[in-house]
Amino acid sequence: MAADENMSVSRLSAFRFKPKKAFTPDSDTAKNNSEHTADKVVNFNLPPQEVPYLEKLKQLYPDSSQTLKIMYSGPFAPGTKKNYHYTISKFEKFCAKQSLEYPVFSEWAVVHFIHDCLSNKEPITFYNSLLPALSAVERSVRNEPSSITTFVRYRINRIKRSLAPLRNPTKKAAKVDFNHIKLLIEKEIFNKKQCEIDRFALRSIFRMVIIFATMCRYKDFNSLQVKHFTFEDNFVEILFPTSKMDQFFEGTNSVIAKQSDEYCPVKLIRLYFELFHLTNRPEHYVNFRLHPKSWRVQNLRLSYSNAVYYAQKLLDKHDIKLKYSEKSCKTASVTKATKIMTPQELMVHGRWRNINTAFHYNTTEKGYKVEVADRLFK
């Protein structure tokens, strides 16, 4: 493809994606679309003062399309692009239809757009993403002064207040604590020969243990490879190559300590590496896909939807009546840790930069609220 064709697409169209295919749980090998579409870049919408630089670079280095793509694609993470895609594409189409300037837009364009969205009965979730999405557009083209004025913010807040009563209450993920994980270990691993252990169940239990022990997010866990695990005599060290608080891949680490009982997490990790023959595969992802019949390991990462599906299936199998999400183990772990660790210890173990971050889990936890309310009558 010619360099000019590669340059015909922009940093803002990094928010454009192909529609996601429907999830089919019968195959563990279905393509994880979100992994592969998030980084597609389509067009450069640059501030006017930067256009001459880009044109000059294209003339000097006609074969450097990939370099220019990285240089001008904007500092947006794949998750950010995915979250803002709908809002930004809707606003771009609206500006084109109304003959309004874009991407350097005016306050009037935003106000007009808000009125149109309200007339079309967009939900409150749309307005929650509207300001950060339009701010991302402004940052990409250095729109100064900002068109997102105090007047605009007041209008959006007024709409959100009017829509809030219509919104269904937010349901928090059910907590899966270590007692639940112990039960799964008993049923699926204890008193079984290695050839009898269900590999799908083991994969789900391994993921639960790692997330519970390190308090990591699913996305962070999904980036782990064999080379990120270091085995010592009395602990396992895990290096997370990136996380929400580590956007520049400097790396943060967690330690899982060896326990004396049969539920030892280090023992489970070693079993996982042994059964799946991972020790000599440093570049292999630990959250891999399995062939549904042969249990053959594939060096492709498991999608979030499949991870939830197999974990929920495992809980249902053992009559654990919980609605599972990949936050279930982290929520249970952090809630417990706030009661047994000092704030400094919790911040270090959870790899947080703010000492108060973890205590948000307590403020939204029903058991904690009951405990506080109970003190009124003591």
Side-chain angles (χ1 to χ4, degrees), residues 50-115:
E50 288 188 16
V51 173
Y53 297 147
L54 176 60
E55 293 301 325
K56 194 167 184 178
L57 286 170
K58 287 164 61 178
Q59 292 173 7
L60 291 172
Y61 307 101
D63 298 325
S64 64
S65 58
Q66 188 62 31
T67 302
L68 293 175
K69 178 179 175 181
I70 295 171
M71 189 173 174
Y72 285 94
S73 61
F76 304 112
T80 304
K81 299 171 189 175
K82 182 178 179 181
N83 291 338
Y84 297 165
H85 159 63
Y86 174 77
T87 306
I88 290 177
S89 60
K90 185 177 178 69
F91 182 56
E92 183 179 5
K93 291 174 184 176
F94 175 81
C95 288
K97 182 179 179 181
Q98 300 294 331
S99 301
L100 298 170
E101 287 188 4
Y102 180 89
V104 181
F105 52 85
S106 64
E107 180 188 53
W108 162 243
V110 181
V111 173
H112 194 178
F113 179 62
I114 293 171
H115 179 274

Side-chain angles (χ1 to χ4, degrees), residues 181 184 204-212 311 315 324 329:
I181 298 174
L184 297 177
S204 293
I205 295 170
F206 171 80
R207 186 172 59 255
M208 291 178 185
V209 167
I210 298 296
I211 293 176
F212 182 88
L315 293 174
Y324 182 82
C329 294

Side-chain angles (χ1 to χ4, degrees), residues 256-296:
I256 301 178
K258 187 176 181 179
Q259 304 298 307
S260 57
D261 61 19
E262 54 193 350
Y263 301 102
C264 173
V266 174
K267 184 178 178 181
L268 179 80
I269 296 170
R270 288 185 181 275
L271 174 66
Y272 188 80
F273 275 57
E274 179 183 346
L275 289 191
F276 288 116
H277 308 289
L278 299 177
T279 305
N280 296 321
R281 301 178 180 180
E283 302 298 325
H284 208 292
Y285 290 108
V286 297
N287 193 36
F288 45 75
R289 301 178 194 174
L290 286 170
H291 190 278
K293 293 183 179 179
S294 67
W295 290 350
R296 181 171 56 84

